[in-house]
Amino acid sequence: MARQLDYHTIREIFARFQQAEPEPEGELEHVNVYTLVVAVALSAQSTDAGVNKATRELFKIADTPQKMLDLGLEGLIDHIKTIGLYRQKAKNVIKLSQILVDDYDGEVPNSRAALQSLPGVGRKTANVVLNMWWGQPAQAVDTHIFRVGNRTGIAPGKTVDAVERAIEDNIPADFQRHAHHWLILHGRYHCKARKPLCRTCIIRDLCQYEDKTE
């Protein structure tokens, strides 16, 4: 684990991220907040590309909780069976859709507690939805963010919760809105798990990672 970077270094890192990508966006395709919830729930232990491939046709016919219920469990499975753990995920999507219809008039709630009460929606999923749809500075820590936070010293921590707290505590407020997208994209395309692209990294000189590749 790298040592914690100081405030001014972290500000410089995110200024560079912002300059390179002023308005970073998540890569999960969706048409409204409900389909965003479904897409994020389906993405657990799966790639965004794989989820997008499965949901493009699905969301054309089931973009509301009621339409998903009308499609039914087996109909949903037919669309997402290329995704890992598809059967359990399908059950969760049907259950959460029923709850949204019964308890929320078919609308997706905008509180973390309410979102986390839905089947298949954990803290990370809730944070993604709060950030991407409602613009809240919620930090969804996935494997990419956990790796980048610890390698660089931006947000070191031994657990996902510790890294989430470090991001909230250490990243300047004006960068909080897009912080998790910048970190995800950096981890996905540059600070890769096995062979990080340190030679072309825009924060190489500021990063605390000891095993930089040449």
Side-chain angles (χ1 to χ4, degrees):
M1 184 188 302
R3 66 176 175 81
Q4 174 67 57
L5 292 171
D6 62 76
Y7 174 87
H8 296 291
T9 303
I10 292 176
R11 171 164 280 285
E12 174 60 23
I13 285 173
F14 280 90
R16 293 183 190 183
F17 284 158
Q18 184 179 56
Q19 185 176 20
E21 187 71 49
E23 294 290 333
E25 296 182 352
E27 297 183 327
L28 281 173
E29 297 173 6
H30 57 283
V31 297
N32 54 32
V33 64
Y34 169 70
T35 55
L36 176 59
V37 171
V38 172
V40 179
L42 293 177
S43 72
Q45 300 179 38
S46 302
T47 66
D48 288 359
V51 172
N52 290 340
K53 187 175 180 180
T55 58
R56 282 184 191 123
E57 294 304 315
L58 171 65
F59 292 158
K60 289 178 182 178
I61 60 173
D63 60 355
T64 69
Q66 187 57 59
K67 289 179 182 178
M68 191 68 74
L69 293 174
D70 293 342
L71 179 63
L73 179 62
E74 293 305 318
L76 173 56
I77 285 175
D78 284 342
H79 280 88
I80 67 168
K81 57 189 176 185
T82 56
I83 299 175
L85 307 175
Y86 68 89
R87 194 167 294 278
Q88 183 57 50
K89 290 178 179 179
K91 291 178 181 178
N92 286 337
V93 169
I94 294 298
K95 289 178 182 176
L96 73 82
S97 299
Q98 190 67 64
I99 291 171
L100 291 176
V101 169
D102 292 344
D103 299 345
Y104 297 97
D105 294 323
E107 301 294 326
V108 175
N110 64 349
S111 80
R112 180 182 285 113
L115 285 167
Q116 285 188 241
S117 72
L118 300 173
V121 177
R123 185 178 180 86
K124 185 180 80 170
T125 298
N127 282 348
V128 170
V129 175
L130 291 172
N131 182 278
M132 288 182 64
W133 194 260
W134 283 293
Q136 297 184 23
Q139 306 302 332
V141 178
D142 67 353
T143 55
H144 297 300
I145 293 181
F146 187 82
R147 179 174 66 254
V148 173
N150 277 290
R151 272 185 181 172
T152 61
I154 292 171
K158 293 183 178 179
T159 67
V160 167
D161 288 345
V163 171
E164 182 180 329
R165 287 195 300 273
I167 291 173
E168 293 172 346
D169 292 343
N170 301 326
I171 294 176
D174 50 325
F175 293 123
Q176 288 277 339
R177 169 71 174 85
H178 292 309
H180 101 271
H181 278 134
W182 281 317
L183 292 171
I184 286 174
L185 294 172
H186 190 66
R188 183 173 291 162
Y189 297 111
H190 301 284
C191 195
K192 299 179 180 181
R194 293 184 179 180
K195 292 184 178 180
L197 306 180
C198 299
R199 187 171 61 85
T200 56
C201 176
I202 63 173
I203 63 167
R204 177 190 173 98
D205 58 316
L206 305 175
C207 172
Q208 294 297 307
Y209 187 45
E210 294 181 352
D211 299 319
K212 291 186 176 75
T213 58
E214 293 300 329

